[in-house]
Amino acid sequence: MSALEMSFHAKEKFIQAGLTLYPQMGYRKLSVRVLAAEAGLSSGLFHQLFANKDVFFLALLQAHQSAQVFWQEADAATPPDEALRQFMLAFAASLRADLPWFLRMMDDCAEQVDVVRAHVKLMLQGYFDRIEFLLRQSLPEGTEADYHLRRKFLILTTLAPILLGQRFSSMGILPLTEGQMKRSSDAAAQQQWMDWVFSAVLDKHEKG
């Protein structure tokens, strides 16, 4: 194995260690020493491979996002409103499947961890731009204020309940049993919830 191959392999081991530990520990507690122990490598090698902790975290966050491709482009025959619906269902399913990671990123954003905040902002902007693009195609005669309001409503009613529900549940203040939480997150319940949301978001002014 060449030196370049060894360097790449070592970087991958550090990244895999970070992917395992980050949801549990977050940015501030995830030290180079802890990463090195998890990877089975030395702290000195970490500093040879990464200029600093933020450079490592940027690579870690990008590696995680690359593995989270959750949606395929809809074909041309798919109506825009159905493409939007499919996107939101896939986005919500991806969020639920990887909730500990997303919640940890939210915690680090709240703690003003710049590298995480910048990554989350860029990531969400990409998702929200896609939502707005599909929304504009679904409602081509809408106004700018209308698009802004509908996009906000769609995001808040689809994604916020997942994050807030888990957070409130972990704090012991959500008045739902574990069984009720599980039933509310199954595929049929999510489909029904999305039907309700879209009936409001894609109301095409038939009532004036």
Side-chain angles (χ1 to χ4, degrees), residues 67-74 81-99 102 127 130-131 134 154 158-159 162 185-187 190-191 193-194 198:
Q68 300 304 307
V69 178
F70 61 85
W71 184 72
Q72 298 280 333
E73 187 76 28
D81 54 346
E82 179 57 25
L84 177 58
R85 189 176 186 278
Q86 290 175 8
F87 180 86
M88 294 307 302
L89 279 169
F91 189 8
S94 173
L95 183 59
R96 287 193 303 274
D98 207 21
L99 202 49
F102 280 95
Y127 293 153
R130 184 62 187 171
I131 292 169
L134 292 170
L154 182 58
T158 304
L159 305 180
I162 299 172
S185 63
D186 66 24
Q190 291 302 315
Q191 290 278 355
W193 175 257
M194 196 65 70
F198 269 69

Side-chain angles (χ1 to χ4, degrees), residues 29 36 99 108 111 127 135 137 186:
K29 291 183 179 178
L99 202 49
D108 279 344
E111 293 182 11
Y127 293 153
L135 190 56
Q137 287 193 321
D186 66 24

Side-chain angles (χ1 to χ4, degrees), residues 97-142:
D98 207 21
L99 202 49
W101 186 280
F102 280 95
L103 289 173
R104 179 57 69 184
M105 288 197 297
M106 296 301 102
D107 288 342
D108 279 344
C109 288
E111 293 182 11
Q112 307 295 312
V113 178
D114 289 340
V115 66
V116 179
R117 291 183 69 196
H119 173 81
V120 170
K121 183 177 180 179
L122 185 63
M123 177 187 70
L124 291 180
Q125 189 61 58
Y127 293 153
F128 296 169
D129 285 349
R130 184 62 187 171
I131 292 169
E132 182 163 341
F133 171 77
L134 292 170
L135 190 56
R136 286 175 181 272
Q137 287 193 321
S138 301
L139 298 167
E141 297 180 2

Side-chain angles (χ1 to χ4, degrees), residues 154-166:
L154 182 58
I155 291 167
L156 290 177
T157 55
T158 304
L159 305 180
I162 299 172
L163 296 171
L164 293 176
Q166 178 62 34

